């Protein structure tokens, strides 16, 4: 990494975290910065087939930072893990640029302990696009794709593809909002749209039922009036 990219990554953290007071603070106090330093060394060693040494380095990085990253994972530039504790990133994970992840997130496989021999050397972890935000505690599981500019709500369980510019949340995760334009950074995967699409549909249905009830009541009253006149 050249000095320009070095400071660019530090500045990208400062832009996304109001608690980051200075470059010096990020260098000395941020687990995300520390673990990525080790990861870059481990990833180079892994690519040169020094796999045990690469795993050993990342093992000590996990003890030091509380963040577990497999050295074979592919991670783009300006990756930021806010707080970081409890994050797990699996072997075949691919992460784009400018991605933000909060504490407790897992980018893992669906059933790692079932027929593990058949899963070796297979794609079994997520592919995350550019500018994605993943809220704290979210579990992104399996060889799925998370599109560019997607937002994953806190504590969500995602096991299906998420299209670009979509906000999902829940267990299992479902779509909450969709944006046609690139959004500015919003921490914790918050969306402009607070309404749940299912809630919108339910409210619309209730209004239709209410209107139908009014029409039925009016029809009954009209019939009563006609009968009285007779």
């Amino acid at each position: 990494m050249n000095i320009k990219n070095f400071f660019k990554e530090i500045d990208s953290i400062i832009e996304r975290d109001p608690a980051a007071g200075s470059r010096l603070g990020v260098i000395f106090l941020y687990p995300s910065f520390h673990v990525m330093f080790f990861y870059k060394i481990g990833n180079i060693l892994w690519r040169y087939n020094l796999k045990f040494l690469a795993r050993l380095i990342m093992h000590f990085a996990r003890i030091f930072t509380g963040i577990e990253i497999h050295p074979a994972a592919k991670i783009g530039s300006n990756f930021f893990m806010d707080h970081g504790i409890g994050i797990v990133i699996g072997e075949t994970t691919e992460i784009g640029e400018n991605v933000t992840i909060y504490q407790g997130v897992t980018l893992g496989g669906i059933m790692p302990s079932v027929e593990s021999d058949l899963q070796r050397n297979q794609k079994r972890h997520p592919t995350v696009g550019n500018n994605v935000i993943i809220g704290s505690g979210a579990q992104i599981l399996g060889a799925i794709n998370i599109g560019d500019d997607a937002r994953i709500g806190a504590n969500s369980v995602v096991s299906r593809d998420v299209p670009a510019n979509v906000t999902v949340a829940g267990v299992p995760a479902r779509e909450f909002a969709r944006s046609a334009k690139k959004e500015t950074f919003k921490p914790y995967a918050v969306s402009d749209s607070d309404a749940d699409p299912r809630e919108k549909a339910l409210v619309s249905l209730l209004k239709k039922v209410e209107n139908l009830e009014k029409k039925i009541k009016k029809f009954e009253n009209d019939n009563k009036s006609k009968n009285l006149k007779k």
Side-chain angles (χ1 to χ4, degrees), residues 94-204:
E94 297 176 54
I95 299 174
E97 298 182 352
N98 305 306
V99 172
T100 304
I101 293 180
Y102 290 86
Q103 67 273 12
V105 167
T106 298
L107 303 179
I110 296 175
M111 293 184 293
S113 63
V114 178
E115 297 181 335
S116 56
D117 283 340
L118 297 177
Q119 297 185 59
R120 289 190 173 91
N121 302 316
Q122 301 294 321
K123 173 68 172 171
R124 60 186 188 279
H125 298 100
T127 297
V128 179
N130 301 321
N131 308 304
V132 172
I133 301 174
I134 303 177
S136 56
Q139 309 295 298
I140 319 296
L141 306 175
I144 61 174
N145 292 300
I146 309 299
D148 293 348
D149 300 292
R151 304 288 184 261
I152 311 297
N155 297 314
S156 300
V157 176
V158 185
S159 57
R160 294 183 179 179
D161 290 350
V162 176
N165 303 298
V166 165
T167 298
V168 299
V171 182
R174 50 191 170 84
E175 183 178 327
F176 266 67
R178 185 182 291 260
S179 175
K181 62 179 192 278
K182 181 179 177 180
E183 294 185 355
T184 55
F185 176 76
K186 290 180 182 148
Y188 296 99
V190 173
S191 170
D192 283 335
S193 176
D194 293 327
D196 180 349
R198 294 188 183 185
E199 182 183 345
K200 285 182 178 179
L202 184 59
V203 169
S204 175

